[in-house]
Every structure is written in structure tokens, then in C-alpha cells.
């Protein structure tokens, strides 16, 4: 973070040097009203900032989930076709094919509430009530064995106390992370004794127009 | 009509008989051509250089026969009020890889890099990534709000935004998942699919720092949440130092309004950083004192390592390059002889200092020729002109950026990160040129 702080200070100095004309502002735009801010300010943070009043139980959430979510995510969050898997995958992150779900991977519960509220159901976003979202989120905790009681009720009050199992396994970007010791003089000739082909695209044959599907994900 | 007249007049002005002041040039040119033709026939030079010799009395129908466009009138100036490419270029399109995603509405398509040259991507060919389809936003109904830890929460219309001082910058935009399908080995046959989640356009916009200064960021405001107006209401947390350093709020690309699929009427530009942060249809900027940890920066765009831990906030795009021609979709179609190899290189940390090219899978390297402007955090174009002996080639390119960072091999990346990190695969690509007309995506030792 020290690099970031240094960059921050440098950037602040730079901006104050290059923007003297803006010290008083240009008088553009208008002041946003409280109602306007409230209409758009829907984001939720891990510390609970932004959560609305409301609550929902696992059982209540299961009902809404079956009606509004299961068509893509499956009744138990197992995922239909290539739609996202939401549950399971615990202890799979070191596997050859890790299963990254809310339970196995997501570091914060607030992300679940925030994302359901802003973007779900797919094609009908911002149509769920706070109580419904609290309920769905409680049901997702239940399906991931993070809560075990079907009567568990999630609310604005107890939300920030729920911790996700994988929270501590995230760390800040350490790149550049490949050796650059030869940067001034990268090898130019006779860099290796022999060259053999180890992998071929045509063996998989998953390029569009081919019959097969490949593996991988874009996000 | 006047054009034709001009042509005729121009013809009359040409020296016809070796007299007059311009005649020396004309005569000598004809003499040179005659001498050249004679010598190439006499000495068989055409065969030596690979040039084909056509028998006397025959010839190329493209020359000997009158073509329609030589004879008949074309369309007038009213026929194409917004021009489109020649129908002979109809194969130059963005393409999707259907098995990658559940639905084309939340998916990606790829820039046809192998069909392009120079450094600027045409607007209609810039790859698309949407999370909820293309939002068709009415600019008169679009607003940009700045609120949170500011002195004065503000709302801007598009007209307001265009009254701030404007700047123009060419920047590459690369999806962090570009080449992400290649972590486990060569998979997709074409640089459009392996590297096509990148484009490079000239943005016109205003400095984000100007907008923030207008609202007055409070001292504790160290993070910024950018949000889009589409149905995914896409959000990303951006550190304040980057926002103040060089981010733009852009409303034009390559001289015209943003395309709807690129965020019309306004998008965020985050130079050198992963494309997911360049929020399209930008409607809201909230200032806060901590990152929001939203979906796109926790469950996605974090890099899972082999030990099960994951990197977060992997924003910068490392130096990378790819040979665009020849490549699987653009094989060499000629026999041995003079060949143009070309490709693209870029770095999120600055400019490209140098690109090396190998014809033998990384055993020996040759420094390529960079051509065209070398702009900060922009695509660079390189060429390597060589005489192909017709034998199979294992083509690679290796970029070195202005910080001295050297593009790593794929095996070097895997040794540090494993095979499940999806994002930030900037390893050296290998194309196997087997014979005229045949190029395959491979990996080598």
C-alpha cells in the first residue's frame, strides 16, 4: 500500500498544480436533491453501509428463490446449463477444476445482497423488495451450510455479523510477479537447445464453427 | 464531368515526344521501364526474385478485360450518408464464442485483430462485453451524479459535461480475461479469439479530476464507486489516486459519439487498467472511504492461485503482444519469399520500448520494427519483414515496455499462478506455420 500512498500524494500534488483554474469550480451542473440521491444510491458495503430496513428467513427466501431464481440457478443453486452455480464447491479451490460459489469463494455477504438488488433477476433487475432479498440471501447461506437453521432470519441488524468462510484468502495484487532480471538484455540467440510442440488447438477443436465446446470462462 | 475533363487535360500535359522542359523526366522514366523489362527477361531475374513472368501475348484478365467499374457510373453522394466498408470486406466482423457463456445478452465478442492494421480499431469492430445487453440510452434523459463524501453532490447533463475542457487520448482497453481460455493450453484457433478482447480508439472526454473538483472531494474520500445505467447496474471501486491521475469521462471515440455497445452517451476511461473498470453508460460516481467489494471485484476479476488463495484489485494490464499476421485465421497464402509479419503490443504501465520476434519457437530472436505513433497505454504496431524459406515456422513475439518489464512465457506465468486464475494471461503466444494456408495455435517447450 505504500506505493499506492506515494502515488496518491504525487497525483494530488500534480492535480493541484495543473488545476488552479478549478479551485473555485466552473459552476457547471446543479446540486443533487436528497430524493435523487436516495433513488440511485443503492450500493451496499461489507460494513453494512447502504443496507435498507428489512428481514427475511431461510424458509421465506426458499419460496422466492424457487419462483424468481431457480429457472437459471436451479432449486438448490446448482446452476442450469452455463448459468452460475451458487452453492457447494467448498474445499475445491485447490482442485484442478475449482467450483467458485457464494459459499466457497465470495469473501463478503454484502456482495450477495448488493448484486441481487442491482442486477437480479436477470432481465428484471431492481424488482425485488428488501424483505425478499434478505430472505434469498438467508436461503443462499443455508444452501452453503453457513447457517443450518431453516428459521434463521437475516436482517439489517444482524447482517454485518455474518462472516463468509473464504474472506481471509484474498490478498492484494503482488504483480509484477514474473522474473524480469533479464530486462536489459533478454536472450537473443541460442536461447534453448530444442523446441517441441507441447499443445495444439486443433486437438480440442473448440474454435467457433467446430462442434465441441471448450473449457474456461471470461469472468 | 469536371473530373473527367481534368484527367484528359492532365493527359495532354504529359510529355509526348521528348521535347520541352518536362521531357527529361518522362523520357527517362519510359527508358527505365523498358530497360527494366528487357533486363528481367534477358537475365531471368523474375525467376530469381520470385516474380512471375507472363508469356508475351497473354496476360491478366484484370488488366486485359474491361471491368464494370471501369465503364459504368457508381452511386452518388446521397447513396451512403453514413459509409460502410466494401462488400468485399464482409468477413471483417466481431465474432462470438457461443459455448463461453449462458446467453449472448451477458457475453462477449472479439475484435478481428487479424483483419486490421495500424493501431486504431474501427468503432464498429471494437469487441463488446455486456452484462445485460446493449442499453439504448436517450442522451437527453441521461444524468451523471456525483455524491457521497463531497462538499456538494452534483448532477450533470450531457450538455454540462461537454462544457468542461476536453482532451483527446488514444488508449487500449483490454478485458482482464483476454487469453483467459488459454491457461490450460492452446485451445482457440485464431488471434481474434485468443487476443481479441482488446481495442484501441481515440477518446474525447473530460478529466474525471475536473468533475471531482467541481463537487469537492472531502479529505477522507479515498475511493470512488462508478456505476452504469444498464440493467446490470455494473459497479467497480476505483482508488482516488487513479481517478485523479488520468481517468476520463469520455463521450466520443475516434471522432464520433460513443457507440451504444461502448457505453453511449458516456463511459469511464481508466487508462492501462482492466476493461471491466471502464464502466459504460456511466450514471453515478459515489465517493467513499473504503472499497465497496462488489461482485465484479470479489467473485469476478480476482485471480485464484494454485494454493487456493486469490489476488484482488489486480487492475494493471501487464505488457503483452501478439502476432496478428500470419495467424490461424490469416495464414500465409503465398509460397516462399518476401513476407510481412505484423502484430500488436501494449502495456498498462506506459509505452512499448521494443518487440522481439522469433521464427523458431523462441530459440533465436530478432528485434521487430515499431511503426506508427508510440503513445502511452496505447496499442503499438510492429512489423518484421523477412524472406520465408517455405519451411514450417514457430512464430512468437515478446514485448518489452518502458518500465523494462519483459513479456513472460506461458510456462513462467503458470509456474507462479497455476492454471485457474482466468485473468491476466499475458504469456507469449506461439503460432505454428506449417505450410502455405495453414497456421495453428500451439504451445512449445
Amino acid at each position: 500500500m505504500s506505493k499506492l500512498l506515494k502515488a496518491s500524494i504525487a497525483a494530488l500534488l500534480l492535480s493541484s498544480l495543473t488545476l488552479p483554474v478549478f479551485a473555485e469550480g466552473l459552476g457547471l451542473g446543479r446540486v443533487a436533491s436528497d430524493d435523487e440521491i436516495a433513488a440511485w444510491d443503492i450500493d451496499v458495503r461489507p460494513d453494512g453501509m447502504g443496507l435498507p430496513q428489512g428481514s427475511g428467513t431461510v424458509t421465506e427466501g426458499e419460496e422466492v428463490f424457487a419462483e424468481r431464481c431457480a429457472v437459471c440457478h436451479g432449486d438448490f443453486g446448482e446452476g442450469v446449463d452455463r448459468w452460475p452455480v451458487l452453492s457447494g464447491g467448498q474445499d475445491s479451490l485447490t482442485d484442478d477444476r475449482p467450483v467458485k460459489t457464494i459459499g466457497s469463494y465470495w469473501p463478503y455477504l454484502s456482495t450477495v445482497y448488493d448484486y441481487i438488488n442491482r442486477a437480479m433477476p436477470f432481465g428484471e433487475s431492481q424488482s425485488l423488495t428488501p424483505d425478499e432479498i434478505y430472505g434469498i440471501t438467508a436461503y443462499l447461506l443455508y444452501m452453503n451450510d453457513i447457517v443450518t437453521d431453516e428459521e434463521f432470519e437475516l436482517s439489517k441488524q444482524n447482517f454485518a455479523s455474518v462472516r463468509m468462510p473464504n474472506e481471509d484468502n484474498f490478498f492484494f495484487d503482488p504483480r509484477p510477479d514474473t522474473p524480469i532480471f533479464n530486462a536489459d538484455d533478454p536472450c537473443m540467440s541460442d536461447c534453448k537447445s530444442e523446441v517441441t510442440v507441447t499443445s495444439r488447438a486443433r486437438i480440442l477443436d473448440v474454435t467457433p464453427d467446430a462442434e465441441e465446446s471448450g473449457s474456461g470462462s471470461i469472468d | 464531368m469536371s473530373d473527367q475533363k481534368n484527367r484528359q487535360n492532365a493527359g495532354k500535359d504529359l510529355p509526348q515526344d521528348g521535347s520541352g522542359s518536362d521531357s527529361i523526366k518522362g523520357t527517362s522514366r519510359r527508358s527505365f521501364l523498358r530497360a527494366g523489362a528487357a533486363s528481367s527477361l534477358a537475365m531471368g531475374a523474375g525467376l530469381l526474385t520470385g516474380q512471375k513472368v507472363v508469356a508475351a501475348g497473354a496476360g491478366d484478365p484484370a488488366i486485359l478485360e474491361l471491368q464494370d467499374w471501369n465503364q459504368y457510373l457508381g452511386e452518388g453522394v446521397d447513396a451512403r450518408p453514413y459509409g460502410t466498408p466494401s462488400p468485399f470486406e464482409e468477413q471483417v466482423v466481431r465474432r462470438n464464442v457461443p459455448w463461453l457463456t449462458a446467453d449472448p445478452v451477458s457475453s462477449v465478442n472479439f475484435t478481428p485483430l487479424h483483419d486490421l492494421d495500424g493501431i486504431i480499431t474501427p468503432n464498429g469492430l471494437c469487441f463488446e462485453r455486456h452484462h445485460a445487453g446493449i442499453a439504448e440510452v436517450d442522451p437527453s434523459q441521461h444524468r451523471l451524479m456525483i455524491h457521497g463524501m463531497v462538499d456538494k453532490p452534483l448532477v450533470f447533463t450531457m450538455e454540462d459535461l461537454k462544457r468542461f475542457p476536453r482532451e483527446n487520448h488514444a488508449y487500449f482497453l483490454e478485458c482482464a480475461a483476454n487469453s483467459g481460455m488459454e491457461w490450460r493450453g492452446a485451445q482457440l484457433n485464431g488471434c481474434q479469439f485468443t487476443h481479441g478482447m482488446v481495442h484501441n480508439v481515440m477518446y474525447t472526454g473530460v478529466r474525471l479530476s475536473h468533475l471531482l473538483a467541481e463537487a469537492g472531494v472531502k479529505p477522507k474520500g479515498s475511493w470512488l464507486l462508478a456505476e452504469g445505467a444498464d440493467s446490470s447496474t455494473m459497479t467497480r471501486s476505483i482508488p482516488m489516486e487513479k481517478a485523479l491521475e488520468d481517468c476520463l469521462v469520455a463521450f466520443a471515440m475516434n471522432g464520433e459519439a460513443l457507440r451504444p455497445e461502448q457505453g453511449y452517451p458516456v463511459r469511464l476511461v481508466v487508462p492501462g487498467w482492466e476493461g471491466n473498470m471502464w464502466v459504460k453508460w456511466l450514471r453515478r460516481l459515489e465517493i467513499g472511504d473504503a472499497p465497496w467489494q462488489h461482485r465484479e471485484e470479489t467473485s469476478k476479476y480476482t485471480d485464484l492461485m494454485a494454493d487456493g488463495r486469490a489476488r484482488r484489485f489486480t487492475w494493471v494490464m501487464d505488457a503483452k503482444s501478439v502476432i496478428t499476421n500470419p495467424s490461424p485465421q490469416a495464414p500465409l497464402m503465398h509460397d516462399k519469399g518476401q513476407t510481412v509479419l505484423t502484430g500488436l503490443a501494449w502495456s498498462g504501465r506506459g509505452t512499448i520500448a521494443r518487440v522481439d520476434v522469433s521464427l523458431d519457437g523462441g530459440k533465436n530472436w530478432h528485434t521487430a520494427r515499431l511503426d506508427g505513433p508510440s503513445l502511452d497505454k496505447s496499442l503499438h504496431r510492429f512489423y518484421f519483414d523477412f524472406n520465408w524459406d517455405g519451411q514450417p515456422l514457430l512464430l512468437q513475439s515478446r514485448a518489452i515496455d518502458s518500465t523494462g518489464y519483459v513479456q513472460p512465457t506461458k510456462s513462467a506465468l503458470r509456474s507462479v499462478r497455476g492454471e485457474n486464475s482466468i485473468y491476466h494471461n499475458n504469456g507469449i503466444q506461439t503460432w505454428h506455420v506449417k505450410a502455405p494456408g495453414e497456421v495453428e495455435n500451439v504451445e512449445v517447450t
Side-chain angles (χ1 to χ4, degrees), chain B residues 137-384:
Chain B
V137 177
D138 174 352
S140 74
Q141 299 304 308
H142 189 74
R143 304 288 182 268
L144 176 60
M145 181 187 291
I146 301 182
H147 72 104
M149 301 177 91
V150 294
D151 298 330
K152 200 168 46 165
L154 292 175
V155 173
F156 300 105
T157 62
M158 289 307 298
E159 289 74 24
D160 295 333
L161 291 177
K162 290 176 180 176
R163 291 171 65 191
F164 284 89
R166 295 180 210 170
E167 294 184 20
N168 293 279
H169 297 274
Y171 290 124
F172 76 83
L173 183 163
E174 184 183 17
C175 177
N178 200 19
S179 315
M181 290 82 81
E182 303 289 306
W183 274 107
R184 292 168 182 278
Q187 181 165 256
L188 290 163
N189 240 342
C191 72
Q192 178 167 21
F193 305 112
T194 57
H195 289 75
M197 281 194 263
V198 66
H199 58 65
N200 199 64
V201 306
M202 177 73 78
Y203 293 98
T204 306
V206 301
R207 288 247 172 197
L208 178 53
S209 60
H210 293 185
L211 303 184
L212 295 174
E214 198 71 16
V217 176
K218 290 189 189 298
K220 282 189 176 169
S222 53
W223 287 84
L224 186 151
L225 184 75
E227 182 181 85
D230 64 322
S231 163
S232 77
T233 334
M234 245 276 302
T235 44
R236 280 298 296 257
S237 303
I238 294 162
M240 186 59 70
E241 51 267 36
K242 180 65 175 176
L244 295 177
E245 184 190 349
D246 58 1
C247 288
L248 298 176
V249 171
F251 38 78
M253 57 195 289
N254 292 336
E256 63 177 0
L258 293 179
R259 292 291 171 89
E261 61 268 35
Q262 303 299 336
Y264 178 87
V266 64
R267 87 173 307 165
L268 193 61
V269 170
V270 190
W273 287 18
E274 61 191 17
N276 182 258
M277 306 179 83
W278 301 43
V279 174
K280 300 190 283 191
W281 312 290
L282 182 70
R283 78 164 189 182
R284 190 166 72 96
L285 297 163
E286 180 174 352
I287 314 304
D289 58 1
W292 277 259
Q293 308 285 6
H294 280 180
R295 184 213 191 223
E296 307 293 324
E297 53 208 14
T298 55
S299 79
K300 309 293 178 186
Y301 301 96
T302 49
D303 309 9
L304 180 62
M305 299 290 112
D307 66 0
R309 299 166 71 229
R311 297 174 177 180
R312 71 170 140 213
F313 300 142
T314 50
W315 297 311
V316 177
M317 300 311 296
D318 284 321
K320 187 167 177 175
S321 69
V322 64
I323 293 168
T324 55
N325 308 79
S327 64
Q329 297 161 289
L332 291 176
M333 296 309 290
H334 59 73
D335 295 330
K336 66 181 181 180
Q338 180 64 23
T339 300
V340 174
L341 178 157
T342 185
L344 293 164
W346 61 96
S347 170
R349 292 194 174 85
T351 56
I352 291 298
R354 185 174 127 192
V355 176
D356 297 328
V357 167
S358 174
L359 306 180
D360 56 10
K363 206 184 269 188
N364 298 290
W365 295 88
H366 316 274
T367 297
R369 175 169 59 89
L370 287 168
D371 188 82
S374 171
L375 301 170
D376 184 46
K377 302 178 182 72
S378 165
L379 293 189
H380 290 56
R381 173 63 61 176
F382 67 85
Y383 296 96
F384 182 65

Side-chain angles (χ1 to χ4, degrees), chain A residues 1 4-5 7-8 11-12 14-15 19 22 24-33 36-37 39-46 49 80-84 93-98 100 105-108 110-111 114-115 118-119 122-126 166-180 182-184 186-208 212-219, chain B residues 96-97 99-103 105-106 108 129 131 143 145 147 152-156 160 163-165 177 181 184-189 193 197 209-210 214 225 227 231-233 235 241 244 283-284 286 289-295 298-302 304-316 318 349 354 356 360-365 367 394 398 400 404-406 408 413 416-417 420 422-424 432 434 438-445:
Chain A
M1 282 305 282
L4 271 176
L5 284 175
S8 165
L12 284 167
L14 188 68
S15 63
L19 301 174
F22 299 104
E24 301 298 314
L26 297 178
L28 296 173
R30 62 163 178 82
V31 172
S33 77
E36 287 173 333
I37 294 171
W40 278 7
D41 184 9
I42 60 171
D43 48 87
V44 178
R45 278 196 333 199
M49 192 190 85
V80 175
D81 300 330
R82 287 190 71 89
W83 296 104
L93 296 182
T94 55
D95 290 358
D96 187 37
R97 304 276 172 173
K100 295 193 283 185
Y105 192 68
W106 292 35
Y108 303 105
S110 59
T111 314
D114 178 87
Y115 185 67
R118 73 173 56 251
F122 190 60
E124 225 180 323
S125 52
Q126 299 189 54
N166 198 43
E167 178 180 344
D168 292 337
N169 285 324
F170 287 81
F171 62 104
F172 201 86
D173 183 8
R175 291 176 303 151
D177 58 352
T178 48
I180 55 168
N182 59 353
D184 294 332
C187 178
M188 294 300 286
S189 56
D190 294 324
C191 303
K192 33 184 150 174
S193 54
E194 63 167 336
V195 174
T196 51
V197 172
T198 56
S199 168
R200 291 185 177 280
R202 218 149 277 178
I203 290 172
L204 278 163
D205 207 16
V206 293
T207 308
E212 300 299 313
S213 286
S215 65
S217 163
I218 51 163
D219 64 0
Chain B
N96 179 15
V97 178
W99 56 258
L100 262 179
T101 51
D103 190 311
V105 164
S106 180
V108 65
R129 170 72 172 112
H131 295 78
R143 304 288 182 268
M145 181 187 291
H147 72 104
K152 200 168 46 165
L154 292 175
V155 173
F156 300 105
D160 295 333
R163 291 171 65 191
F164 284 89
M181 290 82 81
R184 292 168 182 278
Q187 181 165 256
L188 290 163
N189 240 342
F193 305 112
M197 281 194 263
S209 60
H210 293 185
E214 198 71 16
L225 184 75
E227 182 181 85
S231 163
S232 77
T233 334
T235 44
E241 51 267 36
L244 295 177
R283 78 164 189 182
R284 190 166 72 96
E286 180 174 352
D289 58 1
W292 277 259
Q293 308 285 6
H294 280 180
R295 184 213 191 223
T298 55
S299 79
K300 309 293 178 186
Y301 301 96
T302 49
L304 180 62
M305 299 290 112
D307 66 0
R309 299 166 71 229
R311 297 174 177 180
R312 71 170 140 213
F313 300 142
T314 50
W315 297 311
V316 177
D318 284 321
R349 292 194 174 85
R354 185 174 127 192
D356 297 328
D360 56 10
K363 206 184 269 188
N364 298 290
W365 295 88
T367 297
L394 288 167
R398 172 176 73 188
I400 304 173
Y405 176 96
V406 182
L413 282 177
V416 178
R417 304 184 196 165
N420 285 322
I422 300 177
Y423 308 103
H424 297 287
H432 186 189
K434 298 172 176 179
E438 207 177 346
V439 181
E440 187 183 8
N441 175 11
V442 301
E443 289 196 23
V444 296
T445 46

